[in-house]
Amino acid sequence: MSYQMKTLVASALLAWSAAGVAVAADIKIGVAEALTGPAAKYGVAIKNGFTLAADELNAKGGINGNKIVLVVEDEQGKKEEAINVFKKLIFQDKVLMVFGPTLSNSAFAADPIANASKTVVFGTSNTADGITNMGPFTFRNSVMEADVLPVTTRAAVKQFGIKKVAVLYGNDDAFTKSGYDVFKAALEQQKIAVTDTETYAKGDVDFKAQLTKIKATNPDAIICSCLAEEAANIILQTRSLGMKQPFVGGNGFNSPKLFEIAKDGADNTLMGSPWSAENPAAANKKFMADYKAKFGGDPDQFAAQAFDAMYIVAEALSKVKLSGSLEKDRLALRDALPAVKFDGATGKFAFRRAAPQGGKEGGYDAQQDAIVNIAKGGKFIL
Ligand code: PYR
């Protein structure tokens, strides 16, 4: 269409709108996820989940007749890129809201930008403590480690009768550090002894020194607050040292990538999640079949949470009368979201208000129960 034609169409739409006739508009939603780099193991599945849901919603006529348009950016799993991408989406692209970023580590850097500009930021994979303390515009449907890990350690006692464990975690990532703090408190509370605590740094590939020390303390299990690739290599190297202990992990373990590297070395790993491939609910079966048909592979928890998150936002938006003022519409979405209740691929979901901290208003966490999965034959089962 020529520039003149576009101007004509735009003025005609404005005239109709001024006359009070509803005019369909695109709803621009920012997607800031790690599509390259190590966190792409999660980020690509997340992007697919959003795409599947947005395509479904658009095929049914969009939201009150308005089409969802995803503006997708790669934040590479890096803090600086997450900041850049958030700025672009919020100030340049003028999206209504932003989904992402993939890692809690990046969320701590980028979410303040969304809160300062009164724009909803919705994390579907951020599970560290403190994410929603960044402000009242931060939402997440990813269940926080503080809710999941104590359930997982209790299941480990029941499943394996563990009495003493070794702990290994990444000490330079917000998610793995937060997971460690939660594990430590849960172990103390559940009176499980810690034989040794070891750390590593992002990008490490050789964990033999730490694992040799752990081996000498003969724990009943290894607690690992790690992202998927490091977790998989740690498991592999544990087995090569002749150690047979089961692993207990957090949200970072929730990826098929774990098994691509560790294979059946990962057998008996315990991990908690609201989502399971085995959940027979119709909403989950349909999601899994549609995902496979569209992307040619099975979904994981990260895809399921993104898929549900898009529907949660759509539900909120269905109650909002868009005004055309970005500032007002961003606020209206923020005000409509907390009341949404949803029953999707990850089961029944509601938001829970985060307590204010240091006089600062909190955002909204996920209120959802975790189910503990066990790894058998290259996948997590119930
Ligand atoms: C996080 O960074 O919060 C994850 O759960 C992976």
Side-chain angles (χ1 to χ4, degrees):
M1 208 191 283
S2 71
Y3 176 74
Q4 284 85 350
M5 272 293 276
K6 273 190 195 155
T7 314
L8 267 177
V9 171
S11 344
L13 286 176
L14 275 178
W16 284 332
S17 151
V21 179
V23 173
D26 287 349
I27 299 175
K28 279 206 272 181
I29 296 184
V31 171
E33 301 292 346
L35 304 177
T36 54
K41 287 171 184 57
Y42 312 119
V44 171
I46 293 170
K47 186 188 96 174
N48 290 349
F50 291 137
T51 305
L52 179 62
D55 287 356
E56 275 183 17
L57 286 157
N58 284 338
K60 286 184 223 147
I63 301 166
N64 298 332
N66 302 314
K67 195 172 134 215
I68 301 166
V69 175
L70 301 183
V71 186
V72 181
E73 292 291 341
D74 179 9
E75 46 83 355
Q76 301 171 28
K78 295 179 185 157
K79 283 184 187 185
E80 311 71 42
E81 275 312 307
I83 291 171
N84 290 340
V85 159
F86 266 52
K87 284 185 179 161
K88 176 186 175 286
L89 290 169
I90 293 170
F91 303 116
Q92 229 172 289
D93 298 325
K94 301 193 186 310
V95 296
L96 185 64
M97 61 156 288
V98 182
F99 278 121
T102 300
L103 300 179
S104 293
N105 206 47
S106 306
F108 283 117
D111 281 20
I113 298 164
N115 277 285
S117 54
K118 296 189 169 25
T119 305
V120 165
V121 52
F122 192 139
T124 66
S125 55
N126 308 145
T127 61
D129 270 6
I131 289 286
T132 45
N133 293 123
M134 282 186 284
F137 285 81
T138 298
F139 289 74
R140 62 173 156 185
N141 71 333
S142 33
V143 185
M144 56 203 265
E145 298 291 346
D147 287 342
V148 180
L149 301 185
V151 180
T152 319
T153 48
R154 258 193 293 276
V157 171
K158 210 166 153 203
Q159 181 86 23
F160 305 117
I162 57 166
K163 292 196 169 54
K164 55 186 195 328
V165 296
V167 182
L168 181 54
Y169 73 101
N171 65 1
D172 58 353
D173 174 273
F175 156 74
T176 55
K177 271 200 300 194
S178 171
Y180 165 68
D181 291 339
V182 176
F183 267 132
K184 187 168 180 280
L187 293 171
E188 266 167 30
Q189 216 248 328
Q190 294 169 29
K191 302 197 174 8
I192 303 167
V194 175
T195 63
D196 184 28
T197 300
E198 298 291 334
T199 61
Y200 63 85
K202 244 181 221 302
D204 281 1
V205 288
D206 187 350
F207 305 95
K208 295 249 172 57
Q210 293 95 319
L211 291 170
T212 304
K213 286 194 206 157
I214 286 177
K215 186 177 182 182
T217 68
N218 193 28
D220 299 329
I222 300 171
I223 302 278
C224 191
S225 183
C226 313
L227 291 165
E229 190 161 316
E230 284 130 1
N233 283 315
I234 286 167
I235 292 173
L236 210 55
Q237 289 169 31
T238 304
R239 303 302 172 231
S240 77
L241 287 172
M243 300 158 75
K244 301 209 162 35
Q245 284 92 342
F247 274 80
V248 180
N251 197 46
F253 277 58
N254 258 327
S255 169
K257 294 285 168 191
L258 191 77
F259 303 106
E260 277 174 30
I261 300 172
K263 309 252 168 8
D264 58 9
D267 271 7
N268 290 328
T269 296
L270 291 187
M271 170 284 292
S273 169
W275 183 78
S276 164
E278 291 188 41
N279 173 4
N284 187 45
K285 288 285 155 216
K286 181 174 181 332
F287 157 71
M288 290 181 65
D290 292 348
Y291 186 99
K292 190 156 193 170
K294 196 173 182 85
F295 302 109
D298 292 324
D300 60 11
Q301 173 219 260
F302 288 87
Q305 283 179 326
F307 179 81
D308 280 3
M310 183 61 77
Y311 271 94
I312 289 166
V313 166
E315 178 64 29
L317 281 172
S318 72
K319 306 258 163 31
V320 170
K321 199 168 177 305
L322 292 171
S323 69
S325 149
L326 187 58
E327 200 181 323
K328 280 192 191 142
D329 291 344
R330 281 175 172 170
L331 275 176
L333 172 60
R334 151 73 181 73
D335 291 344
L337 264 173
V340 175
K341 305 239 180 315
F342 187 68
D343 193 354
T346 62
K348 281 193 176 18
F349 173 86
F351 285 112
R352 181 179 73 204
R353 188 87 205 246
Q357 235 182 42
K360 208 165 131 194
E361 232 187 307
Y364 291 82
D365 287 313
Q367 182 62 58
Q368 227 176 8
D369 291 332
I371 320 158
V372 178
N373 289 241
I374 185 164
K376 291 277 178 217
K379 60 179 182 181
F380 281 115
I381 58 171
L382 290 178

